[in-house]
């Protein structure tokens, strides 16, 4: 029995790797708006951020920058939510100097759910309950040391919590 | 009138864990009633927790927070018997506040 060379599959692997790299680069090109960088410093209710339909727009309005995924942000949410009206979601992080934590649901009519300010001395861990219209990514954004970090998890919803 | 806010604040010595449950419809403005008419938005926008005259936690909420919202957090310090002040304001300008003793 002889084993023939497997040049084909090696080439295929190279092509796949190339595609993945291109996909990653593509995500970094979100243009900067004219957002005030210090918006998070005051206590005013961020009305406009809560009206945004997309998660990216809400994050940009709220923080004036984009978030990078981090494994130091631990998002705890159910795999499947039987009742989208009450989905328990919690977050904790090992990041230092956390000043703010926000929760977003990509597919909800308005993506931003809640934004919390964390003064010095308060632990960067929050649990709350959110509504989900349908199966969607849940995104949590943590502002630490002036930078934004995020974690994302898909939650499957069997009965939506925002429909009529 | 009974407060809309129920709070349990427990000190472990180093940190104080706070759980709050608030009675509020948290209508998002996207849900229709039985007649097919949209229920207008009615939700808590800001919720603050103060200890020793300083904010220890502040929330900005949208209509996506569940009805009768629940939140849990913890802060360093806080002595048994001390007061924790909690207050909220909703999008119609209604407010409520309460003071809880740390246990």
């Amino acid at each position: 029995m002889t084993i023939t060379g497997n040049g084909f599959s090696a080439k295929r692997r190279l092509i796949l790797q190339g595609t993945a790299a291109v996909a990653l680069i593509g995500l970094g090109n979100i243009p900067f708006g004219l957002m005030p960088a210090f918006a998070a410093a005051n206590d005013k209710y961020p009305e406009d951020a809560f009206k945004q339909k997309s998660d990216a727009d809400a994050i940009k309005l709220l923080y004036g920058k984009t978030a990078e995924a981090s494994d130091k942000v631990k998002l705890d949410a159910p795999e499947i939510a039987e009742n989208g009206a009450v989905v328990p979601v919690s977050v904790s992080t090992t990041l230092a100097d956390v000043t703010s934590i926000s929760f977003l649901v990509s597919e909800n009519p308005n993506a931003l759910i809640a934004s919390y300010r964390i003064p010095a001395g308060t632990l960067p861990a929050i649990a709350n309950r959110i509504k989900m219209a349908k199966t969607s990514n849940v995104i949590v954004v943590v502002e630490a040391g002036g930078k934004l970090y995020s974690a994302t998890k898909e939650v499957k919803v069997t009965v939506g919590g925002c429909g009529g | 009138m009974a407060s809309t806010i129920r709070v349990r604040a427990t000190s472990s010595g180093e940190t104080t864990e706070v759980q709050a449950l608030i009675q509020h419809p948290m209508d998002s403005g996207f849900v229709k009633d039985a007649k097919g008419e949209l229920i207008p938005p009615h939700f808590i926008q800001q919720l603050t927790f103060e200890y020793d005259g300083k904010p220890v936690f502040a929330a900005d909420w949208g209509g996506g927070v569940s009805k009768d919202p629940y939140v849990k957090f913890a802060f360093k310090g806080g002595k048994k018997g001390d007061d924790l002040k909690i207050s909220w304001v909703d999008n119609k300008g209604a407010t409520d506040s309460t003071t809880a003793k740390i246990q």
Side-chain angles (χ1 to χ4, degrees):
Chain A
M1 226 168 75
T2 53
I3 300 166
T4 50
N6 56 355
F8 270 117
S9 62
K11 199 180 275 176
R12 188 166 157 264
R13 205 162 295 150
L14 263 178
I15 292 167
L16 280 173
Q17 278 170 355
T19 319
V22 169
L24 281 175
I25 292 163
L27 290 174
N29 293 334
I30 301 158
F32 286 99
L34 294 167
M35 301 308 160
F38 308 104
N42 59 36
D43 284 357
K44 203 171 166 290
Y45 182 70
E47 187 122 30
D48 288 343
F50 276 102
K51 284 181 181 161
Q52 298 305 311
K53 290 183 174 28
S54 93
D55 47 67
D57 288 348
I59 293 170
K60 233 195 291 175
L61 263 179
L62 204 54
Y63 296 106
K65 53 200 163 198
T66 50
E68 60 170 279
S70 168
D71 57 8
K72 289 181 176 162
V73 179
K74 194 174 164 288
L75 168 62
D76 200 5
E79 296 277 335
I80 298 173
E82 279 178 18
N83 180 4
V86 185
V87 183
V89 177
S90 63
V91 63
S92 61
T93 178
T94 52
L95 291 162
D97 302 324
V98 173
T99 48
S100 168
I101 295 178
S102 296
F103 291 87
L104 300 100
V105 175
S106 304
E107 299 293 331
N108 270 15
N110 291 338
L112 182 60
I113 304 291
S115 182
Y116 298 94
R117 287 185 295 281
I118 314 288
T122 295
L123 306 181
I126 301 172
N128 61 10
R129 298 193 297 215
I130 64 175
K131 287 184 238 179
M132 292 183 67
K134 55 184 168 187
T135 297
S136 168
N137 276 339
V138 174
I139 304 168
V140 63
V141 177
V142 175
E143 186 181 45
K147 285 191 174 165
L148 279 191
Y149 304 89
S150 69
T152 302
K153 184 175 177 183
E154 192 192 54
V155 176
K156 291 191 170 61
V157 175
T158 42
V159 180
C162 290
Chain B
M1 201 185 106
S3 175
T4 57
I5 310 171
R6 281 170 55 201
V7 187
R8 181 178 294 159
T10 325
S11 168
S12 68
E14 276 182 21
T15 60
T16 300
E17 186 184 86
V18 182
Q19 294 184 78
L21 192 61
I22 302 162
Q23 279 175 9
H24 200 283
M26 296 302 283
D27 289 318
S28 65
F30 295 104
V31 181
K32 288 174 183 156
D33 63 15
K35 288 183 211 151
E37 283 164 26
L38 277 180
I39 302 166
H42 185 204
F43 54 88
I44 293 173
Q45 289 188 320
Q46 292 192 299
L47 168 72
T48 52
F49 294 77
E50 271 179 50
Y51 173 72
D52 203 13
K54 284 187 230 103
V56 288
F57 193 68
D60 289 332
W61 278 347
V65 173
S66 297
K67 182 186 178 206
D68 296 338
Y70 165 85
V71 69
K72 181 171 118 175
F73 71 97
F75 64 95
K76 288 178 189 157
K79 284 203 294 282
K80 280 188 199 330
D82 280 3
D83 284 342
L84 184 70
K85 191 181 171 222
I86 301 99
S87 54
W88 58 255
V89 57
D90 70 18
N91 67 319
K92 294 181 176 177
T95 63
D96 194 12
S97 63
T98 192
T99 304
K101 288 253 184 285
I102 297 173
Q103 297 173 335

